[in-house]
Amino acid sequence: MMHQTTCDLATQQRIHVVGVGGPGMSAIATTLQQMGHLVSGSDIKNSPAIERLRALGVQINVGHDIAVVEHCDYVTASSAIPQHNIEIVAARSTGTMVLSRAEILAAICSQRPTIAVAGTHGKTTTTSLLVRIFTHAGLDPNFIVGGDVLNESTGARWTNSQWTIVEADESDGTHLQLPLTGSILTNIDSDHLDHFNDLASIAESFAIYLSQIEGPRIVCIDDPLIRNLPQSGDWHTYGFDTTADFRCHDVIATDGLTEFVITDQRGAGLSVAVSMSLRGMHNVLNVTGAVAMAVSCGIAMQVAADAVETFAGVGRRFQIIGDFNGATLIDDYAHLPREIEAVLAAAKFSDDGWKRIVAVFQPNRYNRMAVMSTEYGDAFMNADLVVITDIYSSGTEKIEGVTGELVAHAVRARHPGQEVLYFPSRDSLAQQVSAVLQRGDVCISMGCGDIEFLPVEILQTLEGKDR
């Protein structure tokens, strides 16, 4: 299906990015700058992301000012930026086209054949794996990823390559607007119910998404909702299921490494052995999907497997931050029940020798917790100690009676014998968590808010004691 984009990036444009410090928009700004466009941006405060953009030559204003959108060809902003933002209002008043993130990303994708990774969970890791495989194969792809690809030390790059690799985010319907050559679909789960009415609507959107792609569609057959989607065209499956076209099997986890086999069951049954530093069965699936897509694009299966062995991971995905008195501190972006369950299972069965798993979770978005808090009841089954803090709003309106304690109640209700602590104050969380950690623990802090800074804050409490 042909997509028409509203922005022509084939010639140099002057583009202003509102909220440029956010992970999604900073990646867009990086790409546009490296494509040769004249890029400016604004945000309410400085950040490391803004400093990296300045180093690339992007002109950034801290604070919003209507003067910065003068003489721009386009202004773009994420859905998190309110429409009454003064720069957006000023742009519209002068007839300057204001583009959503989906629209500017679609314009970028239209410049080259583009492979996307879609699905509720695993998008960032699978996209990053594709980048590593294509880079290892000498294809040097353009990419836009929702986290820092540690091998590349960035989450976005434009090399003018023949291939572009991106995440297809479903949260605001972006995935339906992208002109794509091929896609991986990892799974379908309940989320973003403020945009979708229910799980059935989410599944329907992914069915439409796949129907718009003419090239390879690589889908996880282990997911029951994906299994029931209508199939057509260049459709290949992957998973543990014995019927999968690309089947992963014989998984062994030892000393922080995971080894397994991928078999292409479509023809002669070619198999490759894979060794990776990623933990967990969910990452076995992520790797298998990435290898399947690479093979569908003409990359040899062994080349793809060799690339996985050199994959350094993604920022905020089971990222080991440091050691606190013999306890290992890990940061992870997991914020939905299935993601949390997968991360804790990876720690439980990783053969790292950790004595206790301490899970620290910061719920995200009041509107999400208002409807989903009970779904977290079984997510922490593999944790020995669960610590819940209060909700990180992510710009959502506070709802009376909706707090992080709802998640704590859900876990206690499902598992009355499990030790669950509720520490509502984010300011004192590092002190409270450091007080309960023991030598031999692994402490995994999870969420998509400012919980990412918790491991460093815990390490700083140690430095304070040493003074």
Side-chain angles (χ1 to χ4, degrees), residues 353-386:
W354 292 311
K355 294 180 180 177
R356 289 195 314 166
I357 297 175
V358 179
V360 183
F361 176 54
Q362 181 186 53
N364 176 253
R365 297 179 179 269
Y366 288 102
N367 54 358
R368 176 183 284 148
M369 288 305 115
V371 297
M372 285 187 64
S373 62
T374 58
E375 296 182 27
Y376 288 82
D378 290 328
F380 299 88
M381 287 188 297
N382 286 309
D384 299 287
L385 172 62
V386 180

PDB file of all heavy atoms in Angstrom, residues 353-386:
ATOM      1  N   GLY A 353      24.061 -16.700  39.989  1.00  0.00           N
ATOM      2  CA  GLY A 353      24.374 -16.976  41.383  1.00  0.00           C
ATOM      3  C   GLY A 353      23.868 -15.941  42.373  1.00  0.00           C
ATOM      4  O   GLY A 353      24.325 -15.899  43.522  1.00  0.00           O
ATOM      5  N   TRP A 354      22.913 -15.105  41.958  1.00  0.00           N
ATOM      6  CA  TRP A 354      22.357 -14.117  42.879  1.00  0.00           C
ATOM      7  C   TRP A 354      21.512 -14.813  43.948  1.00  0.00           C
ATOM      8  O   TRP A 354      20.738 -15.732  43.652  1.00  0.00           O
ATOM      9  CB  TRP A 354      21.501 -13.104  42.120  1.00  0.00           C
ATOM     10  CG  TRP A 354      22.322 -12.225  41.206  1.00  0.00           C
ATOM     11  CD1 TRP A 354      23.463 -11.559  41.533  1.00  0.00           C
ATOM     12  CD2 TRP A 354      22.054 -11.923  39.831  1.00  0.00           C
ATOM     13  NE1 TRP A 354      23.922 -10.856  40.438  1.00  0.00           N
ATOM     14  CE2 TRP A 354      23.084 -11.054  39.388  1.00  0.00           C
ATOM     15  CE3 TRP A 354      21.054 -12.290  38.932  1.00  0.00           C
ATOM     16  CZ2 TRP A 354      23.142 -10.547  38.094  1.00  0.00           C
ATOM     17  CZ3 TRP A 354      21.103 -11.794  37.645  1.00  0.00           C
ATOM     18  CH2 TRP A 354      22.131 -10.938  37.229  1.00  0.00           C
ATOM     19  N   LYS A 355      21.645 -14.364  45.208  1.00  0.00           N
ATOM     20  CA  LYS A 355      20.934 -15.016  46.313  1.00  0.00           C
ATOM     21  C   LYS A 355      19.480 -14.571  46.406  1.00  0.00           C
ATOM     22  O   LYS A 355      18.590 -15.377  46.700  1.00  0.00           O
ATOM     23  CB  LYS A 355      21.666 -14.730  47.627  1.00  0.00           C
ATOM     24  CG  LYS A 355      23.053 -15.371  47.692  1.00  0.00           C
ATOM     25  CD  LYS A 355      23.739 -15.051  49.006  1.00  0.00           C
ATOM     26  CE  LYS A 355      25.119 -15.697  49.074  1.00  0.00           C
ATOM     27  NZ  LYS A 355      25.835 -15.348  50.328  1.00  0.00           N
ATOM     28  N   ARG A 356      19.244 -13.273  46.225  1.00  0.00           N
ATOM     29  CA  ARG A 356      17.873 -12.748  46.264  1.00  0.00           C
ATOM     30  C   ARG A 356      17.661 -11.813  45.079  1.00  0.00           C
ATOM     31  O   ARG A 356      18.581 -11.097  44.673  1.00  0.00           O
ATOM     32  CB  ARG A 356      17.619 -11.937  47.541  1.00  0.00           C
ATOM     33  CG  ARG A 356      17.528 -12.680  48.828  1.00  0.00           C
ATOM     34  CD  ARG A 356      16.912 -11.789  49.933  1.00  0.00           C
ATOM     35  NE  ARG A 356      17.495 -10.446  49.962  1.00  0.00           N
ATOM     36  CZ  ARG A 356      16.959  -9.410  50.636  1.00  0.00           C
ATOM     37  NH1 ARG A 356      15.847  -9.566  51.326  1.00  0.00           N
ATOM     38  NH2 ARG A 356      17.556  -8.221  50.630  1.00  0.00           N
ATOM     39  N   ILE A 357      16.441 -11.802  44.578  1.00  0.00           N
ATOM     40  CA  ILE A 357      16.055 -10.826  43.559  1.00  0.00           C
ATOM     41  C   ILE A 357      15.188  -9.775  44.227  1.00  0.00           C
ATOM     42  O   ILE A 357      14.115 -10.084  44.764  1.00  0.00           O
ATOM     43  CB  ILE A 357      15.291 -11.495  42.409  1.00  0.00           C
ATOM     44  CG1 ILE A 357      16.185 -12.509  41.698  1.00  0.00           C
ATOM     45  CG2 ILE A 357      14.779 -10.441  41.425  1.00  0.00           C
ATOM     46  CD1 ILE A 357      15.463 -13.308  40.632  1.00  0.00           C
ATOM     47  N   VAL A 358      15.660  -8.536  44.219  1.00  0.00           N
ATOM     48  CA  VAL A 358      14.916  -7.406  44.772  1.00  0.00           C
ATOM     49  C   VAL A 358      14.401  -6.587  43.596  1.00  0.00           C
ATOM     50  O   VAL A 358      15.182  -6.033  42.814  1.00  0.00           O
ATOM     51  CB  VAL A 358      15.799  -6.537  45.681  1.00  0.00           C
ATOM     52  CG1 VAL A 358      14.998  -5.346  46.223  1.00  0.00           C
ATOM     53  CG2 VAL A 358      16.378  -7.369  46.823  1.00  0.00           C
ATOM     54  N   ALA A 359      13.088  -6.534  43.445  1.00  0.00           N
ATOM     55  CA  ALA A 359      12.456  -5.796  42.353  1.00  0.00           C
ATOM     56  C   ALA A 359      11.928  -4.472  42.875  1.00  0.00           C
ATOM     57  O   ALA A 359      11.145  -4.448  43.827  1.00  0.00           O
ATOM     58  CB  ALA A 359      11.323  -6.611  41.754  1.00  0.00           C
ATOM     59  N   VAL A 360      12.382  -3.374  42.253  1.00  0.00           N
ATOM     60  CA  VAL A 360      11.910  -2.036  42.620  1.00  0.00           C
ATOM     61  C   VAL A 360      11.175  -1.474  41.408  1.00  0.00           C
ATOM     62  O   VAL A 360      11.748  -1.343  40.325  1.00  0.00           O
ATOM     63  CB  VAL A 360      13.074  -1.107  43.007  1.00  0.00           C
ATOM     64  CG1 VAL A 360      12.531   0.245  43.463  1.00  0.00           C
ATOM     65  CG2 VAL A 360      13.933  -1.738  44.093  1.00  0.00           C
ATOM     66  N   PHE A 361       9.903  -1.134  41.592  1.00  0.00           N
ATOM     67  CA  PHE A 361       9.084  -0.726  40.456  1.00  0.00           C
ATOM     68  C   PHE A 361       8.433   0.626  40.695  1.00  0.00           C
ATOM     69  O   PHE A 361       7.858   0.882  41.755  1.00  0.00           O
ATOM     70  CB  PHE A 361       7.995  -1.769  40.190  1.00  0.00           C
ATOM     71  CG  PHE A 361       7.040  -1.391  39.088  1.00  0.00           C
ATOM     72  CD1 PHE A 361       7.495  -1.053  37.830  1.00  0.00           C
ATOM     73  CD2 PHE A 361       5.663  -1.386  39.315  1.00  0.00           C
ATOM     74  CE1 PHE A 361       6.615  -0.708  36.807  1.00  0.00           C
ATOM     75  CE2 PHE A 361       4.773  -1.048  38.300  1.00  0.00           C
ATOM     76  CZ  PHE A 361       5.254  -0.711  37.048  1.00  0.00           C
ATOM     77  N   GLN A 362       8.534   1.484  39.678  1.00  0.00           N
ATOM     78  CA  GLN A 362       7.852   2.778  39.674  1.00  0.00           C
ATOM     79  C   GLN A 362       6.734   2.719  38.623  1.00  0.00           C
ATOM     80  O   GLN A 362       7.006   2.714  37.425  1.00  0.00           O
ATOM     81  CB  GLN A 362       8.830   3.902  39.321  1.00  0.00           C
ATOM     82  CG  GLN A 362       8.198   5.289  39.314  1.00  0.00           C
ATOM     83  CD  GLN A 362       9.192   6.342  38.823  1.00  0.00           C
ATOM     84  OE1 GLN A 362       9.782   6.208  37.757  1.00  0.00           O
ATOM     85  NE2 GLN A 362       9.388   7.383  39.625  1.00  0.00           N
ATOM     86  N   PRO A 363       5.471   2.642  39.056  1.00  0.00           N
ATOM     87  CA  PRO A 363       4.369   2.645  38.080  1.00  0.00           C
ATOM     88  C   PRO A 363       4.384   3.928  37.252  1.00  0.00           C
ATOM     89  O   PRO A 363       4.925   4.961  37.682  1.00  0.00           O
ATOM     90  CB  PRO A 363       3.118   2.560  38.958  1.00  0.00           C
ATOM     91  CG  PRO A 363       3.600   2.027  40.273  1.00  0.00           C
ATOM     92  CD  PRO A 363       4.987   2.560  40.438  1.00  0.00           C
ATOM     93  N   ASN A 364       3.780   3.866  36.076  1.00  0.00           N
ATOM     94  CA  ASN A 364       3.834   4.996  35.148  1.00  0.00           C
ATOM     95  C   ASN A 364       2.439   5.344  34.647  1.00  0.00           C
ATOM     96  O   ASN A 364       1.697   4.455  34.216  1.00  0.00           O
ATOM     97  CB  ASN A 364       4.744   4.621  33.972  1.00  0.00           C
ATOM     98  CG  ASN A 364       4.793   5.696  32.904  1.00  0.00           C
ATOM     99  OD1 ASN A 364       4.233   5.528  31.839  1.00  0.00           O
ATOM    100  ND2 ASN A 364       5.459   6.783  33.202  1.00  0.00           N
ATOM    101  N   ARG A 365       2.099   6.596  34.703  1.00  0.00           N
ATOM    102  CA  ARG A 365       0.854   7.180  34.181  1.00  0.00           C
ATOM    103  C   ARG A 365      -0.357   6.845  35.065  1.00  0.00           C
ATOM    104  O   ARG A 365      -0.685   5.692  35.277  1.00  0.00           O
ATOM    105  CB  ARG A 365       0.567   6.738  32.743  1.00  0.00           C
ATOM    106  CG  ARG A 365       1.610   7.192  31.740  1.00  0.00           C
ATOM    107  CD  ARG A 365       1.270   6.689  30.340  1.00  0.00           C
ATOM    108  NE  ARG A 365       2.256   7.134  29.368  1.00  0.00           N
ATOM    109  CZ  ARG A 365       2.175   8.257  28.668  1.00  0.00           C
ATOM    110  NH1 ARG A 365       1.137   9.053  28.829  1.00  0.00           N
ATOM    111  NH2 ARG A 365       3.116   8.583  27.821  1.00  0.00           N
ATOM    112  N   TYR A 366      -1.012   7.890  35.533  1.00  0.00           N
ATOM    113  CA  TYR A 366      -2.202   7.711  36.377  1.00  0.00           C
ATOM    114  C   TYR A 366      -3.322   6.999  35.614  1.00  0.00           C
ATOM    115  O   TYR A 366      -3.989   6.108  36.158  1.00  0.00           O
ATOM    116  CB  TYR A 366      -2.699   9.068  36.885  1.00  0.00           C
ATOM    117  CG  TYR A 366      -1.793   9.673  37.932  1.00  0.00           C
ATOM    118  CD1 TYR A 366      -0.910  10.700  37.599  1.00  0.00           C
ATOM    119  CD2 TYR A 366      -1.798   9.213  39.247  1.00  0.00           C
ATOM    120  CE1 TYR A 366      -0.069  11.255  38.550  1.00  0.00           C
ATOM    121  CE2 TYR A 366      -0.962   9.757  40.205  1.00  0.00           C
ATOM    122  CZ  TYR A 366      -0.091  10.772  39.850  1.00  0.00           C
ATOM    123  OH  TYR A 366       0.754  11.311  40.798  1.00  0.00           O
ATOM    124  N   ASN A 367      -3.529   7.389  34.343  1.00  0.00           N
ATOM    125  CA  ASN A 367      -4.629   6.765  33.596  1.00  0.00           C
ATOM    126  C   ASN A 367      -4.356   5.286  33.338  1.00  0.00           C
ATOM    127  O   ASN A 367      -5.288   4.476  33.305  1.00  0.00           O
ATOM    128  CB  ASN A 367      -4.892   7.514  32.286  1.00  0.00           C
ATOM    129  CG  ASN A 367      -3.658   7.660  31.412  1.00  0.00           C
ATOM    130  OD1 ASN A 367      -2.559   7.247  31.770  1.00  0.00           O
ATOM    131  ND2 ASN A 367      -3.838   8.264  30.238  1.00  0.00           N
ATOM    132  N   ARG A 368      -3.084   4.910  33.176  1.00  0.00           N
ATOM    133  CA  ARG A 368      -2.757   3.492  32.995  1.00  0.00           C
ATOM    134  C   ARG A 368      -3.028   2.715  34.276  1.00  0.00           C
ATOM    135  O   ARG A 368      -3.637   1.632  34.256  1.00  0.00           O
ATOM    136  CB  ARG A 368      -1.295   3.339  32.563  1.00  0.00           C
ATOM    137  CG  ARG A 368      -0.845   1.884  32.443  1.00  0.00           C
ATOM    138  CD  ARG A 368       0.644   1.793  32.091  1.00  0.00           C
ATOM    139  NE  ARG A 368       0.879   2.091  30.698  1.00  0.00           N
ATOM    140  CZ  ARG A 368       1.969   2.676  30.231  1.00  0.00           C
ATOM    141  NH1 ARG A 368       2.908   3.068  31.067  1.00  0.00           N
ATOM    142  NH2 ARG A 368       2.113   2.879  28.940  1.00  0.00           N
ATOM    143  N   MET A 369      -2.574   3.249  35.414  1.00  0.00           N
ATOM    144  CA  MET A 369      -2.740   2.524  36.680  1.00  0.00           C
ATOM    145  C   MET A 369      -4.206   2.459  37.109  1.00  0.00           C
ATOM    146  O   MET A 369      -4.615   1.530  37.800  1.00  0.00           O
ATOM    147  CB  MET A 369      -1.900   3.180  37.778  1.00  0.00           C
ATOM    148  CG  MET A 369      -0.409   2.962  37.610  1.00  0.00           C
ATOM    149  SD  MET A 369       0.041   1.216  37.488  1.00  0.00           S
ATOM    150  CE  MET A 369       0.684   1.157  35.816  1.00  0.00           C
ATOM    151  N   ALA A 370      -5.003   3.427  36.687  1.00  0.00           N
ATOM    152  CA  ALA A 370      -6.420   3.424  37.044  1.00  0.00           C
ATOM    153  C   ALA A 370      -7.138   2.205  36.470  1.00  0.00           C
ATOM    154  O   ALA A 370      -8.098   1.702  37.056  1.00  0.00           O
ATOM    155  CB  ALA A 370      -7.086   4.706  36.549  1.00  0.00           C
ATOM    156  N   VAL A 371      -6.663   1.712  35.322  1.00  0.00           N
ATOM    157  CA  VAL A 371      -7.349   0.591  34.683  1.00  0.00           C
ATOM    158  C   VAL A 371      -6.538  -0.705  34.695  1.00  0.00           C
ATOM    159  O   VAL A 371      -7.086  -1.793  34.476  1.00  0.00           O
ATOM    160  CB  VAL A 371      -7.718   0.928  33.216  1.00  0.00           C
ATOM    161  CG1 VAL A 371      -8.686   2.082  33.168  1.00  0.00           C
ATOM    162  CG2 VAL A 371      -6.483   1.237  32.387  1.00  0.00           C
ATOM    163  N   MET A 372      -5.215  -0.618  34.985  1.00  0.00           N
ATOM    164  CA  MET A 372      -4.364  -1.801  34.824  1.00  0.00           C
ATOM    165  C   MET A 372      -3.685  -2.288  36.099  1.00  0.00           C
ATOM    166  O   MET A 372      -2.982  -3.296  36.071  1.00  0.00           O
ATOM    167  CB  MET A 372      -3.255  -1.521  33.790  1.00  0.00           C
ATOM    168  CG  MET A 372      -3.713  -1.523  32.347  1.00  0.00           C
ATOM    169  SD  MET A 372      -2.297  -1.379  31.212  1.00  0.00           S
ATOM    170  CE  MET A 372      -1.403  -2.900  31.566  1.00  0.00           C
ATOM    171  N   SER A 373      -3.867  -1.608  37.217  1.00  0.00           N
ATOM    172  CA  SER A 373      -3.065  -1.936  38.406  1.00  0.00           C
ATOM    173  C   SER A 373      -3.220  -3.397  38.833  1.00  0.00           C
ATOM    174  O   SER A 373      -2.245  -4.035  39.257  1.00  0.00           O
ATOM    175  CB  SER A 373      -3.424  -0.997  39.561  1.00  0.00           C
ATOM    176  OG  SER A 373      -4.777  -1.141  39.935  1.00  0.00           O
ATOM    177  N   THR A 374      -4.422  -3.958  38.711  1.00  0.00           N
ATOM    178  CA  THR A 374      -4.628  -5.348  39.148  1.00  0.00           C
ATOM    179  C   THR A 374      -3.875  -6.346  38.275  1.00  0.00           C
ATOM    180  O   THR A 374      -3.581  -7.465  38.713  1.00  0.00           O
ATOM    181  CB  THR A 374      -6.122  -5.708  39.131  1.00  0.00           C
ATOM    182  OG1 THR A 374      -6.643  -5.504  37.816  1.00  0.00           O
ATOM    183  CG2 THR A 374      -6.898  -4.840  40.122  1.00  0.00           C
ATOM    184  N   GLU A 375      -3.532  -5.951  37.044  1.00  0.00           N
ATOM    185  CA  GLU A 375      -2.825  -6.855  36.130  1.00  0.00           C
ATOM    186  C   GLU A 375      -1.378  -7.097  36.552  1.00  0.00           C
ATOM    187  O   GLU A 375      -0.715  -7.982  35.998  1.00  0.00           O
ATOM    188  CB  GLU A 375      -2.887  -6.309  34.703  1.00  0.00           C
ATOM    189  CG  GLU A 375      -4.304  -6.239  34.145  1.00  0.00           C
ATOM    190  CD  GLU A 375      -4.352  -5.741  32.712  1.00  0.00           C
ATOM    191  OE1 GLU A 375      -3.344  -5.943  31.981  1.00  0.00           O
ATOM    192  OE2 GLU A 375      -5.366  -5.145  32.321  1.00  0.00           O
ATOM    193  N   TYR A 376      -0.888  -6.322  37.516  1.00  0.00           N
ATOM    194  CA  TYR A 376       0.487  -6.481  37.988  1.00  0.00           C
ATOM    195  C   TYR A 376       0.592  -7.531  39.103  1.00  0.00           C
ATOM    196  O   TYR A 376       1.681  -7.792  39.602  1.00  0.00           O
ATOM    197  CB  TYR A 376       1.031  -5.147  38.496  1.00  0.00           C
ATOM    198  CG  TYR A 376       1.317  -4.158  37.386  1.00  0.00           C
ATOM    199  CD1 TYR A 376       0.311  -3.379  36.829  1.00  0.00           C
ATOM    200  CD2 TYR A 376       2.605  -4.008  36.880  1.00  0.00           C
ATOM    201  CE1 TYR A 376       0.568  -2.480  35.801  1.00  0.00           C
ATOM    202  CE2 TYR A 376       2.881  -3.117  35.857  1.00  0.00           C
ATOM    203  CZ  TYR A 376       1.853  -2.357  35.325  1.00  0.00           C
ATOM    204  OH  TYR A 376       2.113  -1.476  34.295  1.00  0.00           O
ATOM    205  N   GLY A 377      -0.531  -8.141  39.473  1.00  0.00           N
ATOM    206  CA  GLY A 377      -0.541  -9.054  40.608  1.00  0.00           C
ATOM    207  C   GLY A 377       0.430 -10.208  40.500  1.00  0.00           C
ATOM    208  O   GLY A 377       1.049 -10.619  41.492  1.00  0.00           O
ATOM    209  N   ASP A 378       0.608 -10.771  39.296  1.00  0.00           N
ATOM    210  CA  ASP A 378       1.484 -11.923  39.102  1.00  0.00           C
ATOM    211  C   ASP A 378       2.828 -11.554  38.478  1.00  0.00           C
ATOM    212  O   ASP A 378       3.647 -12.439  38.214  1.00  0.00           O
ATOM    213  CB  ASP A 378       0.804 -12.966  38.215  1.00  0.00           C
ATOM    214  CG  ASP A 378      -0.356 -13.653  38.923  1.00  0.00           C
ATOM    215  OD1 ASP A 378      -0.290 -13.813  40.159  1.00  0.00           O
ATOM    216  OD2 ASP A 378      -1.337 -14.017  38.233  1.00  0.00           O
ATOM    217  N   ALA A 379       3.055 -10.277  38.211  1.00  0.00           N
ATOM    218  CA  ALA A 379       4.254  -9.873  37.464  1.00  0.00           C
ATOM    219  C   ALA A 379       5.541 -10.074  38.260  1.00  0.00           C
ATOM    220  O   ALA A 379       6.622 -10.204  37.671  1.00  0.00           O
ATOM    221  CB  ALA A 379       4.136  -8.409  37.042  1.00  0.00           C
ATOM    222  N   PHE A 380       5.450 -10.112  39.595  1.00  0.00           N
ATOM    223  CA  PHE A 380       6.650 -10.132  40.437  1.00  0.00           C
ATOM    224  C   PHE A 380       6.888 -11.497  41.086  1.00  0.00           C
ATOM    225  O   PHE A 380       7.591 -11.595  42.092  1.00  0.00           O
ATOM    226  CB  PHE A 380       6.534  -9.055  41.521  1.00  0.00           C
ATOM    227  CG  PHE A 380       6.412  -7.659  40.970  1.00  0.00           C
ATOM    228  CD1 PHE A 380       5.168  -7.117  40.657  1.00  0.00           C
ATOM    229  CD2 PHE A 380       7.545  -6.884  40.763  1.00  0.00           C
ATOM    230  CE1 PHE A 380       5.053  -5.834  40.144  1.00  0.00           C
ATOM    231  CE2 PHE A 380       7.445  -5.598  40.255  1.00  0.00           C
ATOM    232  CZ  PHE A 380       6.203  -5.070  39.944  1.00  0.00           C
ATOM    233  N   MET A 381       6.332 -12.555  40.517  1.00  0.00           N
ATOM    234  CA  MET A 381       6.401 -13.881  41.131  1.00  0.00           C
ATOM    235  C   MET A 381       7.833 -14.342  41.380  1.00  0.00           C
ATOM    236  O   MET A 381       8.096 -15.075  42.341  1.00  0.00           O
ATOM    237  CB  MET A 381       5.688 -14.909  40.246  1.00  0.00           C
ATOM    238  CG  MET A 381       4.191 -14.804  40.249  1.00  0.00           C
ATOM    239  SD  MET A 381       3.433 -16.200  39.365  1.00  0.00           S
ATOM    240  CE  MET A 381       4.068 -15.921  37.708  1.00  0.00           C
ATOM    241  N   ASN A 382       8.767 -13.944  40.534  1.00  0.00           N
ATOM    242  CA  ASN A 382      10.148 -14.412  40.661  1.00  0.00           C
ATOM    243  C   ASN A 382      11.014 -13.517  41.530  1.00  0.00           C
ATOM    244  O   ASN A 382      12.229 -13.738  41.623  1.00  0.00           O
ATOM    245  CB  ASN A 382      10.774 -14.564  39.276  1.00  0.00           C
ATOM    246  CG  ASN A 382      10.250 -15.772  38.539  1.00  0.00           C
ATOM    247  OD1 ASN A 382      10.240 -16.881  39.074  1.00  0.00           O
ATOM    248  ND2 ASN A 382       9.787 -15.573  37.309  1.00  0.00           N
ATOM    249  N   ALA A 383      10.419 -12.526  42.164  1.00  0.00           N
ATOM    250  CA  ALA A 383      11.169 -11.648  43.068  1.00  0.00           C
ATOM    251  C   ALA A 383      11.057 -12.149  44.503  1.00  0.00           C
ATOM    252  O   ALA A 383      10.008 -12.642  44.924  1.00  0.00           O
ATOM    253  CB  ALA A 383      10.652 -10.221  42.968  1.00  0.00           C
ATOM    254  N   ASP A 384      12.141 -12.033  45.261  1.00  0.00           N
ATOM    255  CA  ASP A 384      12.123 -12.383  46.678  1.00  0.00           C
ATOM    256  C   ASP A 384      11.629 -11.219  47.528  1.00  0.00           C
ATOM    257  O   ASP A 384      11.044 -11.420  48.594  1.00  0.00           O
ATOM    258  CB  ASP A 384      13.534 -12.786  47.122  1.00  0.00           C
ATOM    259  CG  ASP A 384      14.032 -13.999  46.352  1.00  0.00           C
ATOM    260  OD1 ASP A 384      13.536 -15.108  46.617  1.00  0.00           O
ATOM    261  OD2 ASP A 384      14.907 -13.834  45.483  1.00  0.00           O
ATOM    262  N   LEU A 385      11.881 -10.002  47.059  1.00  0.00           N
ATOM    263  CA  LEU A 385      11.419  -8.794  47.738  1.00  0.00           C
ATOM    264  C   LEU A 385      10.946  -7.811  46.676  1.00  0.00           C
ATOM    265  O   LEU A 385      11.638  -7.575  45.690  1.00  0.00           O
ATOM    266  CB  LEU A 385      12.551  -8.170  48.559  1.00  0.00           C
ATOM    267  CG  LEU A 385      12.285  -6.783  49.176  1.00  0.00           C
ATOM    268  CD1 LEU A 385      11.128  -6.828  50.159  1.00  0.00           C
ATOM    269  CD2 LEU A 385      13.547  -6.248  49.853  1.00  0.00           C
ATOM    270  N   VAL A 386       9.747  -7.257  46.890  1.00  0.00           N
ATOM    271  CA  VAL A 386       9.173  -6.301  45.945  1.00  0.00           C
ATOM    272  C   VAL A 386       9.046  -4.948  46.632  1.00  0.00           C
ATOM    273  O   VAL A 386       8.490  -4.851  47.727  1.00  0.00           O
ATOM    274  CB  VAL A 386       7.786  -6.765  45.453  1.00  0.00           C
ATOM    275  CG1 VAL A 386       7.200  -5.758  44.464  1.00  0.00           C
ATOM    276  CG2 VAL A 386       7.877  -8.147  44.826  1.00  0.00           C
TER     277      VAL A 386
END
